[in-house]
Amino acid sequence: MVIFRWIMGVLAGLFAAGWAFTFLMYVLRDDDRFAELGKRLRHFTTLIALFWFNLEIWGRVVWTIVTWNSPRT
């Protein structure tokens, strides 16, 4: 699970950095293409973050259900 967290963290970080860069370029150059690209990158960043969060929560729920009655050592 640690590898998955690193992969999702790096992926979300790259998309967030791209989003910030395109927003900065939009502000500096006033080019609508950067606004559209920034909006798309923002949506993908949110999608990745929500997918990550959802998988973490539901993974813990499934783990709890599977190991509910297992003896503790």
Side-chain angles (χ1 to χ4, degrees):
M1 197 66 183
V2 173
I3 294 171
F4 174 74
R5 288 181 184 140
W6 270 99
I7 290 170
M8 293 303 287
V10 168
L11 196 61
L14 287 173
F15 272 90
W19 170 30
F21 176 74
T22 55
F23 178 73
L24 181 67
M25 291 303 289
Y26 170 67
V27 169
L28 293 176
R29 295 184 132 193
D30 196 29
D31 190 357
D32 288 335
R33 292 179 297 174
F34 284 117
E36 189 63 35
L37 180 60
K39 189 184 302 183
R40 205 174 303 143
L41 284 172
R42 185 186 71 217
H43 290 161
F44 278 122
T45 303
T46 307
L47 179 77
I48 290 168
L50 288 176
F51 175 72
W52 182 6
F53 180 74
N54 203 8
L55 205 62
E56 289 280 343
I57 296 298
W58 284 107
R60 182 52 64 179
V61 167
V62 169
W63 178 259
T64 302
I65 289 172
V66 167
T67 60
W68 186 264
N69 284 329
S70 64
R72 298 188 184 243
T73 56

Coordinates of all heavy atoms in Angstrom, one line a residue:
M1 N 0.8 -1.2 0.0 CA 0.0 0.0 0.0 C 0.9 1.3 0.0 O 0.4 2.3 -0.5 CB -0.9 0.0 1.2 CG -2.1 0.9 1.2 SD -3.2 0.4 -0.1 CE -4.3 1.7 -0.1
V2 N 2.1 1.1 0.6 CA 3.0 2.3 0.6 C 3.4 2.7 -0.8 O 3.4 3.9 -1.1 CB 4.2 2.0 1.4 CG1 5.2 3.1 1.4 CG2 3.8 1.7 2.9
I3 N 3.6 1.7 -1.7 CA 4.0 2.0 -3.1 C 2.8 2.7 -3.8 O 3.0 3.7 -4.5 CB 4.4 0.7 -3.8 CG1 5.6 0.1 -3.2 CG2 4.5 1.0 -5.3 CD1 6.0 -1.2 -3.7
F4 N 1.6 2.3 -3.5 CA 0.4 2.9 -4.1 C 0.3 4.4 -3.7 O 0.0 5.3 -4.5 CB -0.9 2.1 -3.8 CG -2.1 2.8 -4.3 CD1 -2.4 2.8 -5.6 CD2 -3.0 3.4 -3.4 CE1 -3.6 3.4 -6.0 CE2 -4.1 4.0 -3.8 CZ -4.4 4.0 -5.1
R5 N 0.5 4.6 -2.4 CA 0.5 6.0 -1.9 C 1.5 6.9 -2.5 O 1.2 8.0 -2.8 CB 0.6 5.9 -0.3 CG -0.6 5.4 0.4 CD -0.4 5.4 1.9 NE -1.5 4.8 2.5 CZ -1.4 4.0 3.6 NH1 -0.2 3.7 4.1 NH2 -2.5 3.4 4.1
W6 N 2.7 6.3 -2.7 CA 3.8 7.1 -3.3 C 3.4 7.4 -4.8 O 3.6 8.6 -5.2 CB 5.1 6.4 -3.2 CG 5.9 6.8 -2.0 CD1 5.9 6.0 -0.9 CD2 6.6 7.9 -1.8 NE1 6.7 6.7 0.0 CE2 7.2 7.9 -0.5 CE3 6.9 9.0 -2.6 CZ2 8.0 8.9 0.0 CZ3 7.7 10.0 -2.1 CH2 8.2 9.9 -0.8
I7 N 2.9 6.4 -5.5 CA 2.6 6.6 -6.9 C 1.5 7.7 -7.0 O 1.5 8.6 -7.8 CB 2.1 5.3 -7.5 CG1 3.4 4.4 -7.7 CG2 1.5 5.6 -8.9 CD1 3.0 3.0 -8.1
M8 N 0.4 7.5 -6.2 CA -0.7 8.5 -6.3 C -0.2 9.9 -5.8 O -0.7 10.9 -6.4 CB -1.9 8.0 -5.4 CG -2.5 6.8 -6.0 SD -3.1 6.9 -7.6 CE -4.5 8.0 -7.4
G9 N 0.6 9.9 -4.8 CA 1.1 11.2 -4.3 C 1.9 12.0 -5.4 O 1.8 13.2 -5.6
V10 N 2.8 11.2 -6.0 CA 3.6 11.8 -7.1 C 2.8 12.2 -8.3 O 2.9 13.3 -8.8 CB 4.8 10.8 -7.5 CG1 5.4 11.3 -8.8 CG2 5.8 10.7 -6.4
L11 N 1.9 11.4 -8.6 CA 1.0 11.7 -9.8 C 0.1 12.9 -9.5 O 0.0 13.9 -10.3 CB 0.1 10.5 -10.1 CG -0.7 10.5 -11.4 CD1 0.3 10.5 -12.5 CD2 -1.5 9.3 -11.5
A12 N -0.5 13.0 -8.3 CA -1.3 14.2 -7.9 C -0.4 15.4 -7.8 O -0.8 16.5 -8.2 CB -1.9 13.9 -6.5
G13 N 0.8 15.3 -7.3 CA 1.7 16.4 -7.2 C 2.1 16.9 -8.6 O 2.2 18.2 -8.8
L14 N 2.4 16.0 -9.5 CA 2.7 16.5 -10.9 C 1.5 17.2 -11.5 O 1.7 18.2 -12.2 CB 3.1 15.3 -11.7 CG 4.5 14.7 -11.4 CD1 4.8 13.4 -12.2 CD2 5.6 15.7 -11.7
F15 N 0.3 16.7 -11.4 CA -0.8 17.3 -12.0 C -1.1 18.7 -11.3 O -1.5 19.6 -12.0 CB -2.1 16.4 -11.9 CG -2.2 15.5 -13.0 CD1 -1.7 14.2 -13.0 CD2 -2.9 15.9 -14.2 CE1 -1.8 13.4 -14.1 CE2 -3.1 15.0 -15.2 CZ -2.5 13.7 -15.2
A16 N -0.9 18.7 -10.0 CA -1.1 20.0 -9.3 C -0.1 21.0 -9.7 O -0.4 22.2 -9.9 CB -1.1 19.8 -7.8
A17 N 1.2 20.6 -9.9 CA 2.2 21.5 -10.4 C 1.9 22.0 -11.8 O 2.1 23.2 -12.1 CB 3.6 20.8 -10.4
G18 N 1.4 21.1 -12.7 CA 1.0 21.5 -14.0 C -0.1 22.5 -14.0 O -0.2 23.5 -14.7
W19 N -1.1 22.3 -13.1 CA -2.2 23.2 -12.9 C -1.7 24.5 -12.5 O -2.1 25.6 -13.0 CB -3.2 22.6 -11.9 CG -4.3 23.4 -11.4 CD1 -4.9 24.4 -12.1 CD2 -4.9 23.4 -10.2 NE1 -5.9 25.0 -11.3 CE2 -5.9 24.4 -10.1 CE3 -4.8 22.6 -9.0 CZ2 -6.7 24.6 -9.0 CZ3 -5.6 22.8 -7.9 CH2 -6.5 23.8 -7.9
A20 N -0.8 24.6 -11.5 CA -0.3 25.9 -11.0 C 0.5 26.6 -12.1 O 0.4 27.8 -12.3 CB 0.6 25.7 -9.8
F21 N 1.3 25.8 -12.9 CA 2.0 26.4 -13.9 C 1.1 27.0 -15.0 O 1.3 28.1 -15.5 CB 3.0 25.4 -14.6 CG 3.7 25.9 -15.7 CD1 4.8 26.8 -15.6 CD2 3.4 25.5 -17.0 CE1 5.5 27.3 -16.7 CE2 4.1 26.0 -18.1 CZ 5.1 26.9 -17.9
T22 N 0.1 26.3 -15.4 CA -0.8 26.8 -16.5 C -1.6 28.0 -15.9 O -1.9 28.9 -16.7 CB -1.8 25.7 -17.0 OG1 -2.5 25.1 -15.9 CG2 -1.0 24.6 -17.7
F23 N -2.0 28.0 -14.7 CA -2.7 29.1 -14.1 C -1.8 30.4 -14.1 O -2.2 31.5 -14.5 CB -3.1 28.8 -12.7 CG -3.8 30.0 -12.0 CD1 -5.1 30.4 -12.4 CD2 -3.2 30.7 -11.0 CE1 -5.7 31.5 -11.8 CE2 -3.8 31.8 -10.5 CZ -5.1 32.2 -10.8
L24 N -0.5 30.2 -13.8 CA 0.5 31.3 -13.8 C 0.7 31.8 -15.2 O 0.7 33.0 -15.4 CB 1.8 30.8 -13.2 CG 2.9 31.9 -13.1 CD1 2.5 33.0 -12.1 CD2 4.2 31.2 -12.7
M25 N 0.8 30.9 -16.2 CA 0.9 31.3 -17.6 C -0.3 32.0 -18.1 O -0.2 33.0 -18.8 CB 1.2 30.1 -18.4 CG 2.6 29.5 -18.2 SD 3.9 30.6 -18.4 CE 3.9 30.9 -20.1
Y26 N -1.5 31.6 -17.6 CA -2.7 32.3 -18.0 C -2.8 33.7 -17.5 O -3.1 34.6 -18.2 CB -3.9 31.5 -17.5 CG -5.2 32.2 -17.7 CD1 -5.7 32.5 -18.9 CD2 -5.9 32.7 -16.6 CE1 -6.9 33.2 -19.1 CE2 -7.1 33.4 -16.7 CZ -7.6 33.6 -18.0 OH -8.8 34.3 -18.1
V27 N -2.3 33.8 -16.2 CA -2.3 35.2 -15.6 C -1.3 36.1 -16.3 O -1.6 37.3 -16.6 CB -2.1 35.1 -14.1 CG1 -1.8 36.4 -13.5 CG2 -3.2 34.4 -13.4
L28 N -0.2 35.5 -16.6 CA 0.9 36.4 -17.2 C 0.7 36.7 -18.7 O 1.0 37.8 -19.1 CB 2.3 35.7 -17.0 CG 2.8 35.6 -15.6 CD1 4.1 34.8 -15.5 CD2 3.0 36.9 -15.0
R29 N 0.1 35.7 -19.4 CA 0.0 35.9 -20.9 C -1.4 36.2 -21.3 O -1.6 36.5 -22.5 CB 0.5 34.7 -21.6 CG 2.0 34.5 -21.4 CD 2.4 33.3 -22.2 NE 3.6 33.7 -22.9 CZ 4.2 33.1 -23.9 NH1 3.6 32.0 -24.3 NH2 5.3 33.5 -24.4
D30 N -2.4 35.9 -20.5 CA -3.8 36.1 -20.8 C -4.2 35.3 -22.0 O -4.9 35.9 -22.9 CB -4.1 37.6 -21.0 CG -5.6 37.9 -20.9 OD1 -6.3 37.1 -20.2 OD2 -6.1 38.8 -21.5
D31 N -3.8 34.1 -22.1 CA -4.1 33.2 -23.2 C -5.2 32.2 -22.8 O -5.0 31.5 -21.8 CB -2.8 32.5 -23.6 CG -3.0 31.7 -24.9 OD1 -4.1 31.7 -25.5 OD2 -2.0 31.1 -25.4
D32 N -6.3 32.2 -23.5 CA -7.4 31.3 -23.1 C -7.1 29.8 -23.2 O -7.7 29.0 -22.6 CB -8.6 31.6 -23.9 CG -9.2 33.0 -23.5 OD1 -9.0 33.4 -22.3 OD2 -9.9 33.6 -24.3
R33 N -6.1 29.5 -24.0 CA -5.7 28.0 -24.1 C -5.1 27.5 -22.8 O -5.4 26.4 -22.4 CB -4.7 27.9 -25.2 CG -5.2 28.1 -26.6 CD -4.2 27.9 -27.6 NE -3.1 28.9 -27.4 CZ -2.0 29.0 -28.1 NH1 -1.7 28.1 -29.0 NH2 -1.1 29.9 -27.9
F34 N -4.4 28.4 -22.1 CA -3.8 28.0 -20.8 C -5.0 27.9 -19.8 O -4.9 27.1 -18.9 CB -2.8 29.0 -20.3 CG -1.5 28.9 -21.0 CD1 -1.0 29.9 -21.7 CD2 -0.7 27.7 -20.9 CE1 0.2 29.8 -22.4 CE2 0.5 27.6 -21.5 CZ 1.0 28.6 -22.3
A35 N -6.0 28.7 -19.9 CA -7.1 28.6 -18.9 C -7.8 27.3 -19.1 O -8.2 26.6 -18.1 CB -8.1 29.8 -19.2
E36 N -8.0 26.9 -20.4 CA -8.7 25.6 -20.6 C -7.8 24.4 -20.2 O -8.4 23.5 -19.6 CB -9.0 25.5 -22.1 CG -9.9 24.3 -22.5 CD -11.2 24.4 -21.9 OE1 -11.8 25.5 -21.8 OE2 -11.8 23.3 -21.5
L37 N -6.6 24.5 -20.5 CA -5.7 23.4 -20.0 C -5.6 23.4 -18.5 O -5.6 22.3 -17.9 CB -4.2 23.6 -20.6 CG -3.2 22.6 -20.2 CD1 -3.6 21.2 -20.6 CD2 -1.8 23.0 -20.8
G38 N -5.5 24.5 -17.8 CA -5.5 24.6 -16.4 C -6.8 24.0 -15.8 O -6.7 23.3 -14.7
K39 N -7.9 24.3 -16.4 CA -9.2 23.7 -15.9 C -9.2 22.2 -16.0 O -9.6 21.5 -15.1 CB -10.3 24.3 -16.7 CG -11.7 24.0 -16.2 CD -12.8 24.5 -17.0 CE -12.7 26.0 -17.2 NZ -13.8 26.6 -18.0
R40 N -8.7 21.7 -17.1 CA -8.6 20.3 -17.3 C -7.7 19.6 -16.3 O -8.0 18.6 -15.7 CB -8.2 20.0 -18.8 CG -8.6 18.6 -19.2 CD -8.3 18.4 -20.7 NE -9.0 19.4 -21.6 CZ -8.4 19.9 -22.6 NH1 -7.2 19.5 -23.0 NH2 -9.0 20.8 -23.4
L41 N -6.5 20.2 -16.1 CA -5.6 19.7 -15.1 C -6.1 19.8 -13.7 O -5.9 18.9 -12.9 CB -4.2 20.5 -15.2 CG -3.4 20.1 -16.4 CD1 -2.2 21.0 -16.5 CD2 -2.9 18.7 -16.3
R42 N -6.9 20.8 -13.4 CA -7.5 20.9 -12.1 C -8.5 19.8 -11.9 O -8.6 19.2 -10.8 CB -8.2 22.2 -11.9 CG -8.8 22.4 -10.5 CD -9.6 23.7 -10.4 NE -10.8 23.5 -11.1 CZ -11.4 24.5 -11.8 NH1 -10.9 25.7 -11.9 NH2 -12.5 24.3 -12.4
H43 N -9.3 19.5 -12.9 CA -10.2 18.4 -12.8 C -9.5 17.0 -12.6 O -10.0 16.2 -11.8 CB -11.1 18.3 -14.1 CG -12.1 19.5 -14.1 ND1 -12.7 19.9 -15.3 CD2 -12.5 20.4 -13.2 CE1 -13.4 20.9 -15.1 NE2 -13.4 21.2 -13.9
F44 N -8.5 16.8 -13.4 CA -7.7 15.6 -13.2 C -7.1 15.5 -11.8 O -7.0 14.4 -11.2 CB -6.7 15.4 -14.3 CG -7.2 14.8 -15.6 CD1 -7.1 15.6 -16.7 CD2 -7.9 13.6 -15.6 CE1 -7.6 15.1 -17.9 CE2 -8.4 13.1 -16.8 CZ -8.3 13.9 -17.9
T45 N -6.6 16.6 -11.3 CA -6.0 16.6 -10.0 C -7.0 16.2 -8.9 O -6.7 15.4 -8.0 CB -5.4 18.0 -9.7 OG1 -4.4 18.3 -10.7 CG2 -4.7 18.0 -8.3
T46 N -8.2 16.8 -9.0 CA -9.3 16.5 -8.1 C -9.7 15.1 -8.2 O -9.9 14.4 -7.2 CB -10.5 17.4 -8.3 OG1 -10.0 18.8 -8.3 CG2 -11.5 17.2 -7.3
L47 N -9.8 14.6 -9.5 CA -10.1 13.2 -9.7 C -9.1 12.2 -9.1 O -9.5 11.3 -8.4 CB -10.2 12.9 -11.2 CG -10.6 11.5 -11.6 CD1 -12.1 11.3 -11.4 CD2 -10.2 11.3 -13.1
I48 N -7.9 12.5 -9.2 CA -6.8 11.6 -8.7 C -6.9 11.7 -7.1 O -6.8 10.6 -6.5 CB -5.4 12.1 -9.1 CG1 -5.3 11.7 -10.6 CG2 -4.3 11.4 -8.3 CD1 -4.1 12.4 -11.3
A49 N -7.0 12.8 -6.5 CA -7.1 13.0 -5.1 C -8.3 12.3 -4.5 O -8.2 11.6 -3.5 CB -7.1 14.4 -4.7
L50 N -9.5 12.4 -5.2 CA -10.7 11.7 -4.7 C -10.6 10.2 -4.8 O -11.1 9.5 -4.0 CB -11.9 12.3 -5.3 CG -12.3 13.7 -4.9 CD1 -13.5 14.2 -5.8 CD2 -12.6 13.8 -3.5
F51 N -10.0 9.8 -5.9 CA -9.9 8.3 -6.1 C -9.0 7.8 -5.1 O -9.2 6.7 -4.5 CB -9.3 8.1 -7.5 CG -8.9 6.6 -7.8 CD1 -10.0 5.7 -8.0 CD2 -7.6 6.2 -7.8 CE1 -9.7 4.4 -8.2 CE2 -7.3 4.9 -8.0 CZ -8.3 3.9 -8.2
W52 N -7.9 8.4 -4.8 CA -6.9 8.0 -3.8 C -7.6 7.9 -2.4 O -7.5 6.9 -1.7 CB -5.8 9.0 -3.7 CG -4.7 8.7 -2.8 CD1 -4.5 7.6 -2.0 CD2 -3.6 9.6 -2.5 NE1 -3.3 7.8 -1.3 CE2 -2.8 9.0 -1.6 CE3 -3.2 10.8 -3.0 CZ2 -1.6 9.5 -1.1 CZ3 -2.0 11.4 -2.5 CH2 -1.2 10.8 -1.6
F53 N -8.3 9.0 -2.0 CA -9.0 9.0 -0.7 C -10.1 7.9 -0.7 O -10.2 7.2 0.4 CB -9.7 10.4 -0.6 CG -10.4 10.5 0.7 CD1 -9.8 10.7 1.9 CD2 -11.8 10.5 0.7 CE1 -10.4 10.8 3.1 CE2 -12.5 10.7 1.9 CZ -11.8 10.8 3.1
N54 N -10.8 7.7 -1.7 CA -11.9 6.7 -1.7 C -11.3 5.3 -1.6 O -11.8 4.5 -0.9 CB -12.7 6.9 -3.0 CG -14.1 6.3 -2.9 OD1 -14.5 5.9 -1.8 ND2 -14.8 6.2 -4.0
L55 N -10.2 5.1 -2.3 CA -9.6 3.8 -2.2 C -9.0 3.5 -0.8 O -9.1 2.4 -0.3 CB -8.5 3.6 -3.3 CG -8.2 2.2 -3.7 CD1 -9.4 1.6 -4.3 CD2 -7.0 2.3 -4.7
E56 N -8.5 4.5 -0.2 CA -8.0 4.4 1.2 C -9.1 4.0 2.1 O -8.9 3.1 3.0 CB -7.3 5.7 1.6 CG -6.0 6.0 1.0 CD -4.8 5.2 1.6 OE1 -4.9 4.7 2.7 OE2 -3.8 5.2 0.9
I57 N -10.2 4.8 2.0 CA -11.3 4.5 3.0 C -11.9 3.1 2.7 O -12.1 2.4 3.7 CB -12.4 5.6 2.8 CG1 -11.8 7.0 3.2 CG2 -13.6 5.3 3.6 CD1 -11.4 7.1 4.6
W58 N -12.3 2.8 1.5 CA -12.9 1.5 1.2 C -12.0 0.4 1.4 O -12.4 -0.7 1.7 CB -13.5 1.5 -0.2 CG -14.8 2.3 -0.2 CD1 -15.0 3.5 -0.7 CD2 -16.0 1.9 0.5 NE1 -16.3 3.9 -0.5 CE2 -17.0 3.0 0.2 CE3 -16.4 0.9 1.2 CZ2 -18.2 3.0 0.8 CZ3 -17.7 0.8 1.7 CH2 -18.6 1.9 1.5
G59 N -10.7 0.6 1.2 CA -9.7 -0.5 1.5 C -9.7 -0.8 3.0 O -9.6 -2.0 3.4
R60 N -9.8 0.2 3.8 CA -9.8 0.0 5.3 C -11.1 -0.7 5.7 O -11.1 -1.5 6.5 CB -9.6 1.3 6.0 CG -9.6 1.3 7.5 CD -8.6 0.3 8.0 NE -7.3 0.6 7.7 CZ -6.2 -0.1 8.1 NH1 -6.4 -1.2 8.8 NH2 -5.0 0.3 7.7
V61 N -12.2 -0.3 5.0 CA -13.5 -0.9 5.3 C -13.5 -2.4 5.0 O -13.9 -3.3 5.8 CB -14.7 -0.2 4.6 CG1 -16.0 -1.0 4.6 CG2 -14.9 1.2 5.1
V62 N -13.0 -2.7 3.8 CA -12.9 -4.1 3.4 C -12.0 -4.9 4.3 O -12.3 -6.0 4.7 CB -12.5 -4.2 1.9 CG1 -12.1 -5.7 1.5 CG2 -13.6 -3.7 1.0
W63 N -10.8 -4.3 4.6 CA -9.9 -5.0 5.6 C -10.5 -5.2 6.9 O -10.3 -6.3 7.5 CB -8.6 -4.1 5.7 CG -7.6 -4.7 6.7 CD1 -7.4 -4.3 8.0 CD2 -6.7 -5.7 6.4 NE1 -6.5 -5.1 8.5 CE2 -6.0 -6.0 7.6 CE3 -6.5 -6.5 5.3 CZ2 -5.0 -6.9 7.7 CZ3 -5.5 -7.5 5.4 CH2 -4.8 -7.7 6.6
T64 N -11.3 -4.3 7.4 CA -12.0 -4.5 8.7 C -13.0 -5.6 8.6 O -13.1 -6.4 9.5 CB -12.6 -3.2 9.1 OG1 -11.6 -2.2 9.2 CG2 -13.3 -3.3 10.5
I65 N -13.8 -5.7 7.5 CA -14.8 -6.7 7.4 C -14.1 -8.1 7.3 O -14.6 -9.0 7.9 CB -15.7 -6.4 6.2 CG1 -16.6 -5.2 6.5 CG2 -16.5 -7.6 5.8 CD1 -17.3 -4.7 5.3
V66 N -13.1 -8.2 6.5 CA -12.4 -9.5 6.3 C -11.8 -10.0 7.6 O -11.8 -11.2 7.9 CB -11.3 -9.3 5.2 CG1 -10.4 -10.6 5.2 CG2 -12.0 -9.2 3.8
T67 N -11.2 -9.1 8.4 CA -10.5 -9.5 9.6 C -11.3 -9.3 10.9 O -10.7 -9.2 12.0 CB -9.1 -8.7 9.7 OG1 -9.4 -7.3 9.8 CG2 -8.2 -9.0 8.5
W68 N -12.6 -9.2 10.7 CA -13.4 -8.8 11.9 C -13.3 -9.9 13.0 O -13.1 -9.5 14.2 CB -14.9 -8.7 11.4 CG -15.8 -8.2 12.5 CD1 -16.6 -8.9 13.3 CD2 -16.0 -6.8 12.9 NE1 -17.3 -8.1 14.2 CE2 -16.9 -6.8 13.9 CE3 -15.5 -5.6 12.5 CZ2 -17.3 -5.7 14.5 CZ3 -15.9 -4.5 13.1 CH2 -16.8 -4.5 14.1
N69 N -13.5 -11.1 12.7 CA -13.5 -12.2 13.7 C -12.2 -13.0 13.8 O -12.2 -14.0 14.4 CB -14.7 -13.1 13.5 CG -16.0 -12.5 13.9 OD1 -16.1 -11.7 14.8 ND2 -17.0 -12.9 13.2
S70 N -11.2 -12.5 13.2 CA -9.9 -13.2 13.3 C -9.3 -13.1 14.7 O -9.4 -12.0 15.3 CB -8.9 -12.7 12.3 OG -8.6 -11.4 12.5
P71 N -8.7 -14.1 15.2 CA -8.1 -14.0 16.6 C -6.9 -13.1 16.6 O -6.1 -13.1 15.7 CB -7.7 -15.5 16.9 CG -7.6 -16.1 15.6 CD -8.6 -15.5 14.6
R72 N -6.8 -12.4 17.7 CA -5.7 -11.5 17.8 C -4.5 -12.2 18.5 O -4.7 -12.9 19.4 CB -6.0 -10.3 18.6 CG -7.1 -9.5 17.9 CD -7.3 -8.2 18.6 NE -8.4 -7.5 18.0 CZ -8.3 -6.4 17.3 NH1 -7.2 -5.8 17.3 NH2 -9.4 -5.8 16.8
T73 N -3.3 -12.0 18.0 CA -2.1 -12.6 18.6 C -1.3 -11.6 19.4 O -1.3 -10.5 19.2 CB -1.3 -13.3 17.6 OG1 -0.9 -12.3 16.6 CG2 -2.0 -14.5 16.9

